[in-house]
Amino acid sequence: MSVANPKKRALTEFFSPTLRKKARVSAAVPENSVLFTDHPTASHTTYPFPVPYFPEHLVNTLSEAPSTEGKHINDQTDLDLLYFQPFIPKSIENDLFQFLRSQLFFYRVQYKIKRGGIETQINTPRYTTVFGLDETSKFASDGSILEVSTSKPIAPNKYPTCSPRPIPQCLDELRKITEVFTESTYNFCLVNYYASGSDSISYHSDDERFLGPDPAIASFSLGAKRDFLMKHKPVSPKDNDPTADAINSSKPLKLPLASGDMVLMRGKTQANWLHSIPKRKGGESDKGRINITFRKAMVKGGTENYYQYNVGKGEVWKWDDVKKEMRPWQTK
């Protein structure tokens, strides 16, 4: 069912020919094809290689999103979700998945944490990449970074642990549409690639202070269907308080996220709920899944955090369409 929403008119602003270059592609697009040759590309000094713009057929069809109205899920304590099944039109969700998997660069981040004086090596069980910059800074047209407050270049040591990079055009097209239909703004895009059912993310919440109070996070799924589990954070029991007992004994909420679906988590959700993508054996989960999340970091600590845990210092990985797997990328 199409969405009857007056805000849809605003999308023409985002797809005006004066705002972006249109790729030259044939009007007839074969099923399951991904066209990206002879396209404009997004480049930056921090990109290991240029990222092509979306093919024209993807941009044009994305302008019809969302495909369905979002379903409100707010019938549990502190939970506020808007669930689109799907958001991305079915006619392009596979092309979109194939394009992003083949054209983005990824990392398999490793880092160490200390708990109780014991240092532990963490190997991130999925491929990650990130783009964006917090609210205190902005990218100039030449790709340099400026202070928002003064429009002057940032101090050389403002981001000592990372090299921020702008969101490429392909992901920025999706960000613009998402902002319209979620009534929120975003300055970061995180992308996870789950290569198989063995790749996962454990229960966590995106409740970092650098996101501000009651953050809105828009999470897209492309590719294989994977279960998205949510559970309320434990509540300290109080004498004769049935609410705490009910929360602590409730079963996790399970959303079977299919390709093209989007979940908007907002309000008190991050402060009070945990979410995860658990491991799964065989079946569709081994076909690969991409997760795209848009969020808004308020201060520079958010920028440093996102690049540390989604880029790190490891090697670059890129999809090999011959071997059908992620492979270390070598400069040619």
Side-chain angles (χ1 to χ4, degrees), residues 111-151:
Y111 57 93
K112 295 180 180 180
I113 61 172
K114 280 188 177 182
R115 291 176 179 171
I118 300 176
E119 189 171 75
T120 303
Q121 174 79 24
I122 302 296
N123 300 314
T124 304
R126 61 194 175 279
Y127 295 91
T128 61
T129 195
V130 64
F131 305 90
L133 195 57
D134 64 86
E135 285 290 276
T136 69
S137 302
K138 62 182 179 180
F139 288 103
S141 58
D142 64 358
S144 62
I145 302 176
L146 307 177
E147 289 285 354
V148 168
S149 60
T150 64
S151 292

Side-chain angles (χ1 to χ4, degrees), residues 167-185:
I167 301 174
Q169 181 270 358
C170 56
L171 292 170
D172 212 39
E173 293 281 7
L174 184 58
R175 177 191 64 83
K176 292 173 184 177
I177 297 171
T178 305
E179 289 188 342
V180 172
F181 291 98
T182 61
E183 299 183 343
S184 298
T185 58

Side-chain angles (χ1 to χ4, degrees), residues 225-265:
K225 180 184 290 186
R226 292 290 294 266
D227 289 335
F228 183 69
L229 303 184
M230 300 188 70
K231 64 180 181 180
H232 200 286
K233 294 179 181 180
V235 177
S236 300
K238 298 178 182 178
D239 293 339
N240 300 318
D241 184 358
T243 302
D245 290 339
I247 289 174
N248 293 333
S249 61
S250 63
K251 294 181 179 180
L253 173 67
K254 181 170 74 172
L255 302 179
L257 299 182
S259 190
D261 288 358
M262 191 269 273
V263 177
L264 174 67
M265 298 176 281

Side-chain angles (χ1 to χ4, degrees), residues 24-300:
R24 296 180 180 178
V25 298
S26 170
V29 181
E31 184 177 2
N32 296 329
S33 67
V34 180
L35 305 178
F36 49 83
T37 57
D38 300 325
H39 266 56
T41 58
S43 299
H44 191 259
T45 56
T46 58
Y47 290 6
F49 50 81
V51 179
Y53 282 27
F54 270 155
E56 188 173 19
H57 77 286
L58 292 184
V59 175
N60 291 341
T61 308
L62 272 176
S63 69
E64 301 170 6
S67 290
T68 60
E69 293 187 34
K71 175 185 176 182
H72 293 274
I73 302 178
N74 52 12
D75 58 345
Q76 298 191 46
T77 305
D78 304 318
L79 185 66
D80 188 359
L81 307 179
L82 190 60
Y83 186 16
F84 294 84
Q85 294 179 278
F87 187 100
I88 305 295
K90 284 294 183 183
S91 61
I92 61 166
E93 51 86 7
N94 184 60
D95 279 5
L96 191 60
F97 168 70
Q98 299 288 348
F99 179 92
L100 293 174
R101 181 170 67 174
S102 65
Q103 298 305 308
L104 294 179
F105 37 87
F106 291 90
Y107 304 85
R108 199 81 176 190
V109 179
Q110 298 179 335
Y111 57 93
K112 295 180 180 180
I113 61 172
K114 280 188 177 182
R115 291 176 179 171
I118 300 176
E119 189 171 75
T120 303
Q121 174 79 24
I122 302 296
N123 300 314
T124 304
R126 61 194 175 279
Y127 295 91
T128 61
T129 195
V130 64
F131 305 90
L133 195 57
D134 64 86
E135 285 290 276
T136 69
S137 302
K138 62 182 179 180
F139 288 103
S141 58
D142 64 358
S144 62
I145 302 176
L146 307 177
E147 289 285 354
V148 168
S149 60
T150 64
S151 292
K152 295 181 179 179
I154 62 170
N157 62 346
K158 180 170 183 177
Y159 299 105
T161 64
C162 65
S163 298
R165 55 203 187 192
I167 301 174
Q169 181 270 358
C170 56
L171 292 170
D172 212 39
E173 293 281 7
L174 184 58
R175 177 191 64 83
K176 292 173 184 177
I177 297 171
T178 305
E179 289 188 342
V180 172
F181 291 98
T182 61
E183 299 183 343
S184 298
T185 58
Y186 309 99
N187 55 23
F188 262 94
C189 178
L190 280 63
V191 185
N192 292 313
Y193 176 62
Y194 298 80
S196 70
S198 297
D199 283 357
S200 63
I201 187 167
S202 59
Y203 271 115
H204 69 285
S205 60
D206 298 306
D207 59 354
E208 295 89 352
R209 290 184 179 179
F210 58 71
L211 290 173
D214 300 338
I217 297 179
S219 179
F220 286 86
S221 289
L222 292 167
K225 180 184 290 186
R226 292 290 294 266
D227 289 335
F228 183 69
L229 303 184
M230 300 188 70
K231 64 180 181 180
H232 200 286
K233 294 179 181 180
V235 177
S236 300
K238 298 178 182 178
D239 293 339
N240 300 318
D241 184 358
T243 302
D245 290 339
I247 289 174
N248 293 333
S249 61
S250 63
K251 294 181 179 180
L253 173 67
K254 181 170 74 172
L255 302 179
L257 299 182
S259 190
D261 288 358
M262 191 269 273
V263 177
L264 174 67
M265 298 176 281
R266 60 189 178 185
K268 298 183 181 300
T269 302
Q270 296 301 330
N272 295 282
W273 283 73
L274 304 168
H275 54 274
S276 75
I277 299 289
K279 295 180 185 294
R280 290 289 185 260
K281 292 184 178 180
E284 184 177 345
S285 62
D286 287 334
K287 296 180 181 179
R289 170 184 181 261
I290 282 179
N291 168 236
I292 304 164
T293 60
F294 294 107
R295 52 191 74 194
K296 186 175 185 177
M298 307 304 295
V299 295
K300 76 182 190 73

Side-chain angles (χ1 to χ4, degrees), residues 101-102 318-327:
R101 181 170 67 174
S102 65
K318 191 178 189 298
W319 179 254
D320 186 320
D321 201 45
V322 175
K323 296 182 179 296
K324 303 298 181 184
E325 65 181 12
M326 287 289 174
R327 304 279 295 179

